[in-house]
Amino acid sequence: MSIAFASSSGMSTGVTGTRALRTAALGALAFDVFYVIHRLLQGLGPDGDTPAAVAAFTVAHRSALVASEVAVGAALLAAIAFVAALAPVIRRAGQDTLATAIAISGTVFVTLGFVSQAAETALVGAADAGDLSAVLALNQLQGRTPIVWSISALTATVSLSALRTGLLPKWFGVGGLVAAGVFALGAIFSVLGRTVEGNSSLFGVGLFIVWMLLLAVFLWRVAGRVARSESEQEQ
């Protein structure tokens, strides 16, 4: 984001603009940290996709799986802070439609994330009770909750905002649109696939984590530029 963007977007005070940008950056970074913890605690999953294999894995790794759900809950709370801070910044830049799209796609992403978390947590309880029918249903539900569709929408809207406002580097905006296409393809394959997750799922997760990390870095750098600009104007 250039200084020209800061002045033309209506960010008249460094306090408002800088605080929102840094909140969004910290929210994106915190999401990454907690989500990585979640994935590490989840491990590679069961050797098979049968209810018995899933139940056995879940019972054997119960403590780690429960802790992973706490971590993903914290990640989703951080995502709320990210979306709530970023959408007004985009709106002040004159992109009302994109700001609304970011708010909606972010809300859907967080909502579906909590739905998936609830299914995963319930899966632990079903495995403890030895109810293989419930294990089968809940494993399918948590794996097929259409959260990747919302990730694709959120990535696309943020990337378009980067291109239209100059908030982020142009290459990052273009790359984000490509990533959004990859996520959309992954969502389609998830619907068509016979199993809840394929080998490509880790690639998609890694790509989204890297994208969010870069987004956090760029937003923090932009906040610093806005703060320096406001400081120079006051002097």
Side-chain angles (χ1 to χ4, degrees), residues 36-234:
V36 168
I37 293 173
H38 164 70
R39 294 297 303 193
L40 290 175
L41 290 172
Q42 290 258 310
L44 296 177
D47 295 330
D49 57 357
T50 65
V54 173
F57 175 84
T58 302
V59 171
H61 299 83
R62 185 184 191 283
S63 297
L65 293 175
V66 171
S68 77
E69 297 313 317
V70 175
V72 79
L76 292 170
L77 292 178
I80 294 175
F82 161 70
V83 173
L86 182 60
V89 171
I90 302 303
R91 192 176 303 280
R92 285 196 294 272
Q95 297 294 327
D96 290 347
T97 300
L98 282 174
T100 301
I102 288 174
I104 293 174
S105 58
T107 299
V108 173
F109 167 66
V110 171
T111 301
L112 291 177
F114 279 121
V115 170
S116 180
Q117 180 202 33
E120 290 179 348
T121 305
L123 175 59
V124 174
D128 283 341
D131 188 343
L132 295 184
S133 296
V135 167
L136 175 61
L138 291 169
N139 188 50
Q140 287 285 330
L141 176 61
Q142 63 85 21
R144 295 187 184 276
T145 301
I147 190 170
V148 182
W149 292 102
S150 63
I151 289 175
S152 180
L154 180 61
T155 306
T157 53
V158 172
S159 299
L160 281 173
S161 299
L163 292 173
R164 292 188 179 182
T165 64
L167 177 65
L168 303 170
K170 183 177 181 180
W171 67 263
F172 183 77
V174 174
L177 291 176
V178 174
V182 172
F183 298 144
L185 287 175
I188 293 172
F189 292 149
S190 177
V191 173
L192 299 177
R194 292 181 177 275
T195 58
V196 295
E197 288 185 352
N199 294 330
S200 62
S201 61
L202 290 180
F203 170 77
V205 168
L207 181 60
F208 186 59
I209 288 173
V210 170
W211 183 80
M212 285 289 284
L213 179 60
L214 289 173
L215 180 59
V217 171
F218 286 132
L219 289 175
W220 189 266
R221 292 175 61 184
V222 170
R225 293 174 188 172
V226 172
R228 287 193 296 271
S229 176
E230 292 292 337
S231 177
E232 292 173 358
Q233 290 176 8
E234 290 177 357

